[in-house]
């Protein structure tokens, strides 16, 4: 899991990295008029827009890059389902990033929109976390593959970074399920069904995010746009296959959880059975004996046994006899 | 959730709004002969028919707009499944509106049929609630997008208003499930399975309404009719995707409920286990002791222990001994 | 639900209704040579064959109408799955009618085969009930639509009558499930799981009948035969959509039943929990007290307390003390 | 269910029946050189090979009929999945026969491979049971349809005989499930879950056999081979539809079993509830009374009540009072 | 199950077997420059690379055989999903081998990648186990089919060896489930749900491996590459069908397990019921009797019965009377 560096809460920050073979410039854009010149030159550039809370500025970007209104709406609506949309001169990809701030998986989502143009890639992030640090350092490396390939390859590296996060989260979930599994199989009493429930919710959420992402990647593979070069397809196919594999694993984890719940409930039943048996053994042995003791505690004037010299000892023999018979009965019923 | 303004129960009311760029007229039609002139002029108009209980009037409308008998039947039969049907000179869309009058989600459905013609849109509502107030005010706004676009875009805004209601209801359901979740996880005793059941039924109903709506929108996207312009397709696609997302969320809520029921039932089992353990501990400790007390309450004449000076105190030692052994046994079984 | 008029158990009865615009004749055929002339004239006719127990007669019909052996076999085998088969000069439709004689839904099926020819429709019924009375009276009405349209439309009215029965049964089932629901939610003790089971079986049977009927109608919609005119297609589509809607509703009812069973079983668990708690409270309070009473009922010669003047009253204080502590314990455990 | 005549365990037996219109010969082949002449003449013939344990002989047959090695492997491997394979000059069909030797359905499978050639059909059976007796006698009938049609029709009759067996087994299973159902609904105590389990396993096995058979028949319907004549297609379609219907019924039976298990388990719960209630009623009434009796059995010297003349009778009044209050309490809780 | 011969843990070992009709050489490659000459000659050869821990060497192999970087990455990433990828001059197949070292199925996976070229097949194994011994000995046999066919057939034999392992594991699982089944049906008390769980996990894992393998084989069947000859297709189809059959069997085993869990839990319930009944019978008989004995143990001065001569015997009659009534009551409730 890449280290998630928190982004400050300040207004929109625009980071522009212009790169190419033997070329690397990094700018923090404060004035949007700085951007158009980059569109004209030969190198590719990446514009990373963090935070979506300055609508005017986003509208200006819309104008500069000639982004369709519908596309901007998709970027702004952070409740959007992951999807890809091919426009005439750009492709819009909307995906979800998942991250968890705590040890226990408590997933939060952030929408990331990627616009792929002829010589630019724009990424729009909400104002929370950032997973693109690794990409920044790869860009700084003069001999990196990332510098040579086109904007489609660069968009692939962004998507790859996001899908890698999914893997990291899947792993965390898997680990926690394994811990639960061990606890449940060893009949640890401290386990609560709520913990299992949390894992199941995480899996559901992950599935809800990955399922459309998989569709998106499948669509992207088949997209016929001049923006996606043939030689980038194997890379896209690779993350597509990763998403399929995550789905497979999620399904398996989901089934594991179902089984765990079953074992958990069976263990409760078995334990209850155990409690019941203890009660029944003690009660069924002693209740008849107590009755008998009660009988000889009665105050009738004419009770011949009471006068008999060995009456008391004989009574004890009856007590023992009843107990032994009972114990044999339970043994035969295999209650011990 | 748009405010649902109740419609009076009086007979059919016909509201005609004629609009266009720089144009806006609003009429309450009382005489159907007022309508044909509007068909001839250049502006678009929206005819909103509320209540379906005047068959003669509806038949006149049928004649004026040359609506197919089959289409009118679909409009009248409020048990219709959501669907779209393309006729030569108009498109019929039948959808369901969902609303709830109470805080607790208790869904009621109302059928809304939309007829899209060249320069008109007719909407037929049952006589209950109305969600089109927002659209009315948008039409009054002279610079609104809604005035410029064609009848297909206008029909889109109607559908959009309806799908927005679905979202609002979904949110209400989600909130109530979260309340239930909290209650169940905190083992609130006052919860009843009936409450969970109500939520599940709402989800079922919502699903039953949205599933065919999704199909309908998917069909509409692919419809080749001169009435649906190419530039309206992204908008239709947008509500299509919203319906997909609602389906996703419903599925997730449905799974949540299944899990909640499981937790609920496990909690019952655990509580019962607890009750059983209390009973068993008390009973298995005291039943043997009571037996012993009973023994020394017997009235045999020859009971040597009774004469022994320390008999009584010794008996107490045995009582304590048995209790301590029992407590240890339960401790080892981890019943505390 | 149309009134089901019982048909006598006597041998095959042949009813021939010849109709057309301004034309209506009704015959009870006793001699099959009466039929061929009708084939030659301009009007359409409907031959309704009730009971399938006269094989010779059916074979004669087969010859007269030139029905394929395979088709006759399908008609005779009342275990056939609903289906449509297109032959050169006729179409064979095999469907199932469902009916229930009792208030409680106890479904019985009857196979109805419909042969659509150029100017005739033959319907073959088993010898049980009849749902075509409504159609007979519509045929008698001189201005009815049914008289003007072709044999395909007439076959549609027959299918429509059958599908209407499905609706009626679905409604009965839905009503009974609602009654069950109310009973279960109000924890009516007299409910038995067997009742729920009966409803589930009815739903299963209905599904088994409607599922292939839906397929059949879907096939019929796409059939390219000169016997199905283009203008009849919307009508066929209409019953197709009805069958889809019945399937939707059945699915919803099936889910309701699953939930009801769950609630039913949870109620049992809750009630058992209640019983257990009562037992445990009474037993855990009185068992220690009885032990103590037993102790002071022992007959040891040296028991100092027995001599103490306030011993008895002090014992009562202990009794009350223990009871109060126990009650507080249960209160804290929220068992009341 | 056709009578299953056991086949002797001796080595491969080869039965050759040559038939045609007005022609019928039956041979028991002992020398394979007898076969080639039949290939040359005008009549069709059926070669029935029972037992697969003589590999040399099978290899000779392979050479005589020019069967592909892969096909022979499929015939020999009795673990093969039902399938059809079209070769240049023959079609190979591999199916499973199901039979049960006992009253209780305890399914065994036997693989039957059918090779359809231009003027011959070869069937390969394992050495267990035989269902083709009915076909043999139909072949002996000079006017039978089976004599006139080609080898494809003959292969159909073989398949039909096998599918008929499936029906017979399905019926047996259905009967036994109905018996179980009756027992469970009447709460027969002698029922064991193991019995239900056996039925479920039979259904699973039947499904596993029929599912690929259905596929096979569906493929056969679409096969474009000169070996399958157009007029045989309706017959193949007929057994295809039978297989679909068996699948439908199996699905329904499977659901029935699920419901039966549910009812079975609910009945256990209800009975346990009943037992609990009896215990609780008796115990909660008598435990407090016993305590009170114990109190007045104490031997304190100063117990004023003991001296009171009506103490004893008053105590009985208290006993009765407590009992009556308890009974009312249980009545109000509706435990009776 | 082929015998799994452990491979030493030393670095990459390269085994090259060059074969053809009448030709067989076996080399242990230590110097990669030995390989290129083999590419030039007429015979096919198999290069088996065990262990993937020498990246340099693998890169050299990449260069020699001109393997695409993406393909090498797939080979190196042992978390890859089974798949086939067709490149211009070679086909890459990635599959998983499954094996278990212990008697109890405890599956481990190993990735095997197969590269099919014009006259070579390369197999890459992780450094664990080896299933290709059988293939080695078949290659040594001068008249073996394997020597005559091309590289596609050879790749098939490798895949076949792997799928055979799946069968072996499936068989092991099936055996163990049958043992579990017997234990559960005979109510063996020592069974633990954990054992069932282990089997379920194995089935899940097997499914996860076989599902994509099946897809892979299906793709391979349809691959249009000069490397796959038409006459090899039936062989590929054969293993494809085997994989389908394994899936079928897995599904059946999975259902068996579900049923076993159900029986297991029902048995617990039934046993608990049994325990409860024993307790209830003993308690409800003796509790009232004990009460009565307690009554006559009270020390009231005026208790007329105590003075009555036959009081004691009469009390015993009452004791017996109550017992007999209780026993009858339980008999009628069918608790015995």
């Amino acid at each position: 899991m890449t280290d998630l560096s928190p982004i400050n809460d300040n207004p929109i920050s625009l980071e522009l990295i212009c790169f190419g073979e033997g070329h690397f410039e990094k700018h923090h854009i404060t004035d949007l008029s700085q951007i158009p010149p980059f569109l004209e030159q030969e190198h590719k550039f990446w514009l990373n827009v963090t935070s979506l809370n300055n609508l005017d500025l986003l509208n200006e970007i819309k104008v500069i890059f000639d982004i369709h209104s519908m596309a901007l709406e998709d970027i702004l609506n952070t409740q959007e389902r992951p999807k890809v949309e091919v426009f005439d001169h750009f492709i819009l990809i909307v995906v979800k990033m998942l991250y968890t701030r705590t040890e226990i998986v408590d997933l939060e989502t952030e929408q990331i929109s990627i616009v792929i143009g002829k010589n630019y890639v724009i990424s729009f992030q909400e104002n929370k976390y950032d997973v693109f640090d690794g990409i920044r350092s790869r860009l700084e490396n003069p001999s990196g593959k990332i510098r040579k390939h086109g904007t489609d390859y660069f968009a692939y590296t962004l998507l790859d970074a996001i899908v890698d996060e999914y893997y990291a989260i899947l792993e965390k979930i898997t680990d926690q399920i394994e811990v639960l599994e061990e606890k449940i199989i060893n009949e640890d009493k401290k386990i609560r069904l709520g913990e299992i429930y949390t894992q199941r919710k995480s899996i559901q959420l992950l599935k809800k995010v990955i399922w459309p992402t998989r569709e998106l990647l499948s669509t992207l593979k088949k997209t016929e746009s001049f923006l996606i070069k043939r030689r980038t397809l194997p890379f896209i196919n690779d993350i597509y296959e990763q998403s399929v594999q995550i789905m497979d694993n999620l399904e398996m984890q989901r089934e594991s959880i179902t089984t765990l719940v079953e074992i958990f409930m069976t263990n409760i039943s078995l334990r209850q059975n155990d409690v019941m048996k203890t009660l029944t053994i003690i009660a069924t042995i002693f209740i008849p004996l107590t009755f008998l003791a009660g009988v000889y505690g009665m105050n009738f004037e004419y009770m011949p046994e009471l006068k008999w010299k060995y009456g008391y000892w004989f009574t004890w023999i009856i007590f023992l006899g009843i107990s032994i018979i009972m114990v044999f009965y339970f043994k035969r019923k295999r209650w011990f």
Side-chain angles (χ1 to χ4, degrees), chain A:
Chain A
M1 187 175 253
T2 327
D3 208 52
L4 298 165
S5 46
I7 295 171
N8 312 345
D9 221 56
N10 33 8
I12 289 197
S13 100
L14 296 176
E15 180 191 16
L16 189 152
I17 297 177
C18 182
F19 59 97
E21 272 189 275
H23 182 88
F24 182 85
E25 324 168 36
K26 191 168 175 175
H27 302 272
H28 271 275
I29 303 293
T30 46
D31 177 3
L32 285 178
S33 64
Q34 290 175 275
I35 295 175
F38 286 103
L39 278 168
E40 306 306 321
Q41 42 87 288
E42 52 164 339
H43 297 301
K44 296 140 285 183
F45 68 93
W46 170 34
L47 181 65
N48 187 23
V49 183
T50 48
S51 159
L52 304 171
N53 50 26
N54 188 335
L55 209 60
D56 295 338
L57 204 138
L58 289 171
N59 266 316
E60 278 182 70
I61 290 173
K62 178 190 162 212
V63 173
I64 293 169
F65 291 97
D66 187 18
I67 296 172
H68 195 277
S69 326
M70 212 70 203
L72 188 62
E73 250 178 58
D74 286 343
I75 290 164
L76 287 169
N77 175 7
T78 58
Q79 300 303 314
E80 209 57 48
R81 215 176 166 242
K83 67 171 178 181
V84 62
E85 224 150 336
V86 179
F87 292 86
D88 283 346
H89 60 290
F90 70 92
I91 292 173
L92 170 69
I93 296 169
V94 179
V95 287
K96 296 281 174 194
M97 209 183 62
L98 286 172
Y99 58 91
T100 167
R101 286 173 218 250
T102 53
E103 258 316 284
I104 295 141
V105 176
D106 181 17
L107 294 180
E108 292 176 62
T109 60
E110 176 177 341
Q111 181 162 308
I112 296 183
S113 309
I114 298 168
V115 171
I116 312 172
K118 225 187 78 162
N119 68 341
Y120 60 88
V121 168
I122 320 175
S123 55
F124 297 87
Q125 304 187 41
E126 290 182 58
N127 200 357
K128 294 178 194 160
Y129 270 94
D130 182 57
V131 290
F132 297 146
D133 266 358
I135 290 166
R136 278 183 202 95
S137 58
R138 277 164 70 192
L139 280 173
E140 284 171 29
N141 174 5
S143 62
K145 212 157 138 191
I146 199 168
R147 284 236 196 136
K148 290 175 216 147
H149 287 69
T151 54
D152 51 349
Y153 184 85
F154 185 76
Y156 149 75
T157 61
L158 295 180
L159 287 173
D160 197 38
I162 291 162
V163 171
D164 274 359
E165 283 303 303
Y166 297 164
Y167 258 111
I169 284 164
L170 174 63
E171 229 157 83
K172 266 202 174 179
I173 292 174
T174 308
D175 286 355
Q176 292 185 16
I177 288 175
E178 265 165 31
V179 169
L180 275 177
E181 192 183 315
E182 194 140 325
K183 276 192 193 163
I184 285 174
I185 286 190
N186 295 328
E187 298 189 31
D188 188 322
K189 300 275 162 61
K190 268 165 221 139
I191 214 165
R192 286 188 53 243
L193 206 57
E195 292 179 58
I196 305 177
Y197 183 53
T198 313
Q199 301 306 324
R200 193 183 259 169
K201 282 200 97 172
S202 300
I203 288 176
Q204 269 179 34
L205 188 57
L206 205 49
K207 232 159 114 179
K208 201 184 133 198
V209 165
I210 290 170
W211 186 257
T213 306
R214 212 195 59 153
E215 271 174 54
L216 172 169
L217 290 164
S218 165
T219 312
L220 205 59
K221 271 166 63 182
K222 291 174 227 137
T223 296
E224 284 180 25
S225 161
F226 73 100
L227 288 162
I228 307 287
K229 272 154 221 120
R230 225 186 141 251
R231 70 176 196 183
T232 313
L233 288 181
F235 297 104
I236 293 171
N237 191 38
D238 193 66
I239 39 176
Y240 168 72
E241 271 168 12
Q242 280 177 42
S243 69
V244 172
Q245 192 156 8
I246 294 173
M247 281 304 296
D248 281 9
N249 281 319
L250 279 177
E251 198 44 44
M252 214 171 144
Q253 293 308 328
R254 206 186 56 80
E255 276 196 41
S256 287
I257 281 182
T258 305
T259 312
L260 285 181
V261 171
E262 249 173 33
I263 297 186
F264 184 74
M265 298 192 75
T266 311
N267 282 344
I268 294 175
S269 282
L270 282 172
R271 238 180 293 151
Q272 193 159 338
N273 213 7
D274 219 42
V275 171
M276 282 302 306
K277 275 200 302 214
T278 307
L279 173 59
T280 304
I281 289 168
I282 294 292
T284 45
I285 289 176
F286 284 101
I287 284 178
L289 303 190
T290 306
F291 161 66
L292 214 66
V295 166
Y296 293 114
M298 294 194 297
N299 298 318
F300 284 101
E301 284 187 1
Y302 310 94
M303 284 176 71
E305 297 99 322
L306 297 181
K307 308 248 143 69
W308 186 33
K309 207 179 171 183
Y310 303 105
Y312 177 57
W313 304 115
F314 192 72
T315 311
W316 267 112
I317 288 168
I318 291 173
F319 288 162
L320 286 171
I322 292 175
S323 309
I324 289 163
I325 288 166
M326 287 291 189
V327 169
F328 267 98
Y329 176 76
F330 296 139
K331 276 261 188 252
R332 228 197 56 209
K333 283 224 163 190
R334 279 187 290 165
W335 285 10
F336 295 93

